Amino acid sequence: MREILEAVAVGELTPAEAESELAGYATTGAGRFDAAREARSGVPEAVLGSGKTADEIGDLAATAVETAGRAIVTRIDAAGAAAVRRELRESAPEATVQWDERANWLVATEAGFERPAIDAGVGVVSAGTSDAVPAGEAAMIAREMGVDVTRIDDVGVASLARTIDAVDRLREQDVLVVAAGREGALPTVVAGLVDTPVIGLPVSTGYGHGGSGEAALSGMLQSCTALSVVNIDAGFTAGTQAGLIARRIAAARGSD
Amino acid sequence: MREILEAVAVGELTPAEAESELAGYATTGAGRFDAAREARSGVPEAVLGSGKTADEIGDLAATAVETAGRAIVTRIDAAGAAAVRRELRESAPEATVQWDERANWLVATEAGFERPAIDAGVGVVSAGTSDAVPAGEAAMIAREMGVDVTRIDDVGVASLARTIDAVDRLREQDVLVVAAGREGALPTVVAGLVDTPVIGLPVSTGYGHGGSGEAALSGMLQSCTALSVVNIDAGFTAGTQAGLIARRIAAARGSD
Amino acid sequence: MREILEAVAVGELTPAEAESELAGYATTGAGRFDAAREARSGVPEAVLGSGKTADEIGDLAATAVETAGRAIVTRIDAAGAAAVRRELRESAPEATVQWDERANWLVATEAGFERPAIDAGVGVVSAGTSDAVPAGEAAMIAREMGVDVTRIDDVGVASLARTIDAVDRLREQDVLVVAAGREGALPTVVAGLVDTPVIGLPVSTGYGHGGSGEAALSGMLQSCTALSVVNIDAGFTAGTQAGLIARRIAAARGSD
Amino acid sequence: MREILEAVAVGELTPAEAESELAGYATTGAGRFDAAREARSGVPEAVLGSGKTADEIGDLAATAVETAGRAIVTRIDAAGAAAVRRELRESAPEATVQWDERANWLVATEAGFERPAIDAGVGVVSAGTSDAVPAGEAAMIAREMGVDVTRIDDVGVASLARTIDAVDRLREQDVLVVAAGREGALPTVVAGLVDTPVIGLPVSTGYGHGGSGEAALSGMLQSCTALSVVNIDAGFTAGTQAGLIARRIAAARGSD
Amino acid sequence: MREILEAVAVGELTPAEAESELAGYATTGAGRFDAAREARSGVPEAVLGSGKTADEIGDLAATAVETAGRAIVTRIDAAGAAAVRRELRESAPEATVQWDERANWLVATEAGFERPAIDAGVGVVSAGTSDAVPAGEAAMIAREMGVDVTRIDDVGVASLARTIDAVDRLREQDVLVVAAGREGALPTVVAGLVDTPVIGLPVSTGYGHGGSGEAALSGMLQSCTALSVVNIDAGFTAGTQAGLIARRIAAARGSD
Amino acid sequence: MREILEAVAVGELTPAEAESELAGYATTGAGRFDAAREARSGVPEAVLGSGKTADEIGDLAATAVETAGRAIVTRIDAAGAAAVRRELRESAPEATVQWDERANWLVATEAGFERPAIDAGVGVVSAGTSDAVPAGEAAMIAREMGVDVTRIDDVGVASLARTIDAVDRLREQDVLVVAAGREGALPTVVAGLVDTPVIGLPVSTGYGHGGSGEAALSGMLQSCTALSVVNIDAGFTAGTQAGLIARRIAAARGSD
Amino acid sequence: MREILEAVAVGELTPAEAESELAGYATTGAGRFDAAREARSGVPEAVLGSGKTADEIGDLAATAVETAGRAIVTRIDAAGAAAVRRELRESAPEATVQWDERANWLVATEAGFERPAIDAGVGVVSAGTSDAVPAGEAAMIAREMGVDVTRIDDVGVASLARTIDAVDRLREQDVLVVAAGREGALPTVVAGLVDTPVIGLPVSTGYGHGGSGEAALSGMLQSCTALSVVNIDAGFTAGTQAGLIARRIAAARGSD
Amino acid sequence: MREILEAVAVGELTPAEAESELAGYATTGAGRFDAAREARSGVPEAVLGSGKTADEIGDLAATAVETAGRAIVTRIDAAGAAAVRRELRESAPEATVQWDERANWLVATEAGFERPAIDAGVGVVSAGTSDAVPAGEAAMIAREMGVDVTRIDDVGVASLARTIDAVDRLREQDVLVVAAGREGALPTVVAGLVDTPVIGLPVSTGYGHGGSGEAALSGMLQSCTALSVVNIDAGFTAGTQAGLIARRIAAARGSD
């Protein structure tokens, strides 16, 4: 910190540059919304729909499209999606809206918006159909970060042959997000079969003792393989963590 | 119940016979210790060493040898084992004592004692060496019930090939007890590979969140295979349940 | 594994046979749905209704009837049951549909479908009327596996005489599934009275501390009888485990 | 309160009498130790040994003997008991000391001390030998309150006949304290057989999930019989509660 | 047990008498519903409304009125109460129905039904208005058992003066049921002020950590006064336990 | 932040001054140890003894005395205290060492060190003798911050008169720290009697369900009085929070 | 206590004065509702809307306005607010009603009611918009106690620059209430930056493991800064605790 | 799988090659120990010292040195380290042994053993000195995998300036492992400042509610930054996961 301040003192940096350097953002009004986060931490700013009214979601999404060219909303329901379309019809009539009713996310992009393209692949793996929502959220955000996403579904360990059949596709990926509910054994089995980094994504299926994803979470934490884990149903976190790793790999490939 | 009482009323049953029928034991002093439990519930009476002094264990084991021809003690330490030997040197100098220092059990038998021989096989499977104590306890009690026990060790799912290699041996058994700690995935994987009844035995390994066997237990309860479970480290319970099933199968084979 | 691969190498096995042997299924399209699981693990494939739309349930049930002659659906509501009937009216107009509104399951069978018939009996025991749903699910799946199921209801330990009255019927069974909520003491009392293998099925009744079946589950795990346990409300698991044991016993009787 | 204060104002009560009435004790130095609690709440003051040094226990016990004629100490070890004897040898050489090494309590009485004698009976029931410590503590304090205590041991529900055999003795008591560890089913079974008030005393036996008495506690709280409960291993509380009930019954009998 | 059976053998008891003695009920059809429980355990049989359909509640209540002269239903809603009235209009048109909408219970009595009258008093104490439902349930069942019930409401410890003001009324009771939610301190404070037996009744108020009555329950279990406890919201259990104690006291008074 | 940086740019602040302003400390080697924390957050730096070797504790304490004139060590045992004395004998032979063996803290001061003197009073209240350790730690650190500390001990609610007797002394304090274990009701009762800010300090006494201070903590969190709380046994935190409040009050009195 | 009673005895105090002194309230009918609490504990009486019917809320609020000039209601919905307006239209037509639909509180004041004015400032800080409800409740009650409240919103630690930017405003306050959900790190970071007393207010955001505010609560309890904490979502408690501290500071400033 | 088997059938693969391909190891005796795991999953085989005798550890380490040129042992104590030295003195007298007494690991390498060298950097960050053991374990295993490891210690958020000072060094790393105990806020703060992938490593410091690392773990799981997490104290897992990511990045740099 001392060096930056000395640079300011001798005029090598303007105060604004120093602020950017030290604080991670410049005080430029509405532009603060997104530029800061993506630049600083590599993760696109997203709107969490749950706990907000449809109108609030509509407003925030319109602002995001205006300032960043893209709005990403998670945990959004039909009313929220309708509000976003309504808002954009006025403020950005040429925007494209993609709403995944099953995985509960929406992405709206200004005409001409170009996603980054990252030369690295993330595999999003699921044990069964009940893992679709968090797995879908993980795949979406990784894709929006520019990653090449491959879905490998329905490879749960109760029918081990399906898991083994998928080994080659699993090994081809640069990073794996592996979603599983109930006993959550799939990430452990996968991490034992590949030398790819695996991020376990516990899913809130199951009932009774250890239900709501708690058994899956604690099982993944206890795994004796080299597994890291995110919270139950935290598809967004798993996808962004995978995206950050993929960005590093792609940068190393010289193609970022 | 009415029928039994009417049989007593008309003299078809003596009161003692009726008591045996209704209560499961006859009031015959020291004989009550063992005859009752094994006859009624099929499980040999055993002494739980933990929480007793060495002297108490020694006394109880000597009584068991005297009345039942055999003493089974679990969770016994070196002092307890020494006390048993000391007691038996006097009361039953020809008895044979087998003490498993690792799995913490002791079996003493009167000279000439004959174990039952049951025509059915129980496989005791373990994920790793840290499962040795509960797995050993399960194997011991099943063996004492007369079952033919096969140990299948070190087949944890982190190296899936080891598990798959064992499939044939797993399928040959009549019942399986599968012990696993940490994330406890092995019983799920095994139950997905065989059509044998599988009893999951969670082991108190692991640390941090879900440690002490809790992750393994909740994972086994959440398994989507046809798995039943016993408490953490309850090797004795798993072994006796497997033994009861084996007895039924052997009886059906006409060889009990 | 080496042996199988050597058998392939010398032509004793075709690759397809080896695959079946190693993987548990053959890659034959829609046939994979059911043939694999029932053949490999002895448990009929079933559709879990909860978490699926009525349309998805209808589709899956119709496919199951087509490929396996029978669809088993658990945790299904009225809308799901209507969707199944609608689908089958077209694809399998002669199919029979049985829907248990109370225990929330549905079984549809193609005309002429024949259940297996297993020469072994499972007793499904309940402490009170609030245990009806999981007990009913356990009884259904055991019956579909071909087992002879006997219901022994309303024998809770608060009126111990009712339990004791049932002893003879309890002893006649080859396996017992014992459902109980609240404090869950019935399986312990039953297992102390019989030499039959007992599977405890905790039920999510009760409120306050230890409610939702947690007291019943932990009580069954702590039982000092030879009891194995399934998760709270896991009637399907208890019934299939009982069914697998019954199959083994029946096979031993030479009548499978 | 207003009435008492008006009585003071007009001189009908001295300030000290009013204080006693309002506050439950009079500020008379060492006399405060005991007179207050026993008079106010009916429970003899006791010293909890755990967390105190041997010297502190010795001092407190000597003071108790001096002021109240009796010292009751719970959770006391050998060093504490030795310190009490040492202190009393000087301050009260004719006192009698009774130390129960197993149940960890000590009672010292001045020569000539007379326990109250209450015309009511408390039954202290235990499921097995591992319940001895809390059951012993409950019996001791009830006895010190003057109650006629009957021990009914080793009637655990795994051998139901033993429980049923005890029914007559159970029905003869005015109040029952029923101690049980592991699954803690005994108080429920007993309360279903008698019309006596039953206080459940969960014991910290058991291991794994629900161990340390938690399964027993939650099972007793979930019981559908008319059972009240104390904390795990809280023999002292169970015994005093039973003693208070017995005192009320005895008072009604006109013999307090 | 042996003695009873010998009495049957020599004809001193009929089998039916022996059955009653041993089992606690006689097999006499619908009469079994109530006669057994009240005679054996002193607690009137009651119908738990929750988990039953309105029609089932109506049927059960009508049967109870017919066989026992009275139906007691807890956790009953408006639809259930309407169903009871509808059923009784036909089967027992002269019955009286009392429905407490707030405390969710209903008592229906045949014309001419006479409650027992017990010469003992139970105080039902509450900390605040949010404790009304469980306190009301406790008061109702104690009253139905014939006890003289006194309500002492709104004496929570946050305004300690209100508690102290109530001391005299508290001391006049034979038994106290003390209901409290949130931190649940009231039973501890009361038990420190009186020598009456106190039964703590934790109430499911409160939110956040320790909410839903868990803080109140654990606080009452940790209390260093002579307190016994029932489960959260278990007003029925607290009231019946208090009723059983009151019956004993009244019996001792010679007026049962 | 912009303003500070602009001040640096125009030379109004040296870089070092700006660093101090922005970062809360200046990079001056060993001086960083203490000057920073006390100046920035008002809390004297302290050494947590647990988890450190005696030698490490000795070193750290000597450094603290050298740089700040005072060392405060919590959770220190006899070996640690000896090491501190040994170190100081060389580096600061005139220092004074105060070690509280019971409350496990040590304070060493250079000759001539002067504590701040704050014109505000903190009352440290305890329910019983088992609260001595955390209460002592709270009192020590408040005293080291310069506060006038009053101890009000042994006023637990089981003998309510003792609590009421203390009301005047309680009301005289500017802030209260109230320590209580088991059911932790004392802070609630106190906060209902005074208009002083009360900080609840739960203590890890108690056993069984809710033991180790968990019942006390959740009870204090559920209290309907205006109570804030610290973690179980966190006497240091409670004392510093009380000290910070006292400093604000004293500053307002104009006497800091 | 003795002194007060002696003062009554010699006529220095009337019984009514003594009662007020000892009990904290005078028995004067409706006036007891509010005068007592505010005078005794410094906290204005408030009505908790949740768990009450709209009519009950309306009645209580009207009574409060009548007796205290002001009604404060928390956790109130639209129906409750409507009922309050309806009641007041009749009983106090000139009253002013302020309803915060988002933070769920309502304050009604009689015409001419004057809030106290306290010369001290409380900062209410929030990490994000989802903390609005508890933060709003804390700000409201502090304001009603007369404190000067400053809102400092949206300074969550994920964008640390926003937190650092707020340091000056944070340091200007006399007390800080810091609300944060999810991982709850903000109060720790703030308390490390200021020497103001900080009260942590955990918020029930978040999902999965540690959701519903439990992670935030335990994180604040574990903080190594001088932080005290209230229960999850307990904005009212945090605000009143801050208000009590502010009152003390203002009193010291001589302006209360 | 079909393809491999067909390749065996036509002789393109030997059975042994197919086994290696399918199972991940070849059945070659002692060689199975290590070759398999490192080749298949990229993680060097390590010996977990805890739960093994010193002799067992010595044997295993000697075998590892012999077959893989290196032994890595975690959670090893002084006796274990001595046993390793003793064994190696005979079997590999020229081996080098490095034992970290503080972080409890040992690495022994054969003379001439060459670690891989990976062109990627892992930063291991700790909040304070109590995080040294897990952080040390993470650094060790990453180093053994060939990664360039940088330690960034003592940057806990209670003194935020220290964290901010480290930003440049944090941003230079390819992957970060961030260890923190108590409230575990550091990984959240770091992940908000950098665009590097961050793996949170909760440490079992802290006491009371949320102690033993549980607060840190749940806080990290709740973090709204892109953070993945490992179990409490699982330094080995965090280090290997970081190592796997670094390997991918290095491979992309073309320097593996």
Side-chain angles (χ1 to χ4, degrees), chain A residues 102 129 154 158-162 165 182 207-211, chain C residues 23-25 32 40 51-52 56 75 214 217 231-234:
Chain A
R102 182 89 197 249
T129 52
D154 211 24
S159 292
L160 201 55
R162 296 184 299 185
D165 276 10
R182 304 199 65 164
Y207 55 84
H209 185 70
Chain C
Y25 69 93
R32 179 174 165 185
R40 191 181 65 249
K52 300 203 173 69
E56 289 171 342
R75 311 209 168 198
E214 291 286 352
L217 172 65
N231 201 1
I232 299 163
D233 289 343

Side-chain angles (χ1 to χ4, degrees), chain A residues 169-246:
Chain A
R169 274 179 300 155
L170 293 168
R171 288 189 176 149
E172 281 162 11
Q173 311 301 320
D174 286 307
V175 198
L176 291 168
V177 171
V178 184
R182 304 199 65 164
E183 87 290 335
L186 184 60
T188 289
V189 168
V190 167
L193 291 169
V194 303
D195 67 350
T196 319
V198 177
I199 299 164
L201 169 53
V203 179
S204 65
T205 52
Y207 55 84
H209 185 70
S212 304
E214 291 286 352
L217 172 64
S218 57
M220 294 182 198
L221 289 168
Q222 289 293 339
S223 172
C224 49
T225 61
L227 199 65
S228 73
V229 184
V230 297
N231 201 359
I232 299 164
D233 290 343
F236 188 85
T237 307
T240 47
Q241 170 80 323
L244 289 177
I245 297 170

Side-chain angles (χ1 to χ4, degrees), chain H residues 71-85:
Chain H
I72 302 171
V73 192
T74 59
R75 312 206 168 201
I76 183 174
D77 56 12
V84 173
R85 289 187 205 274

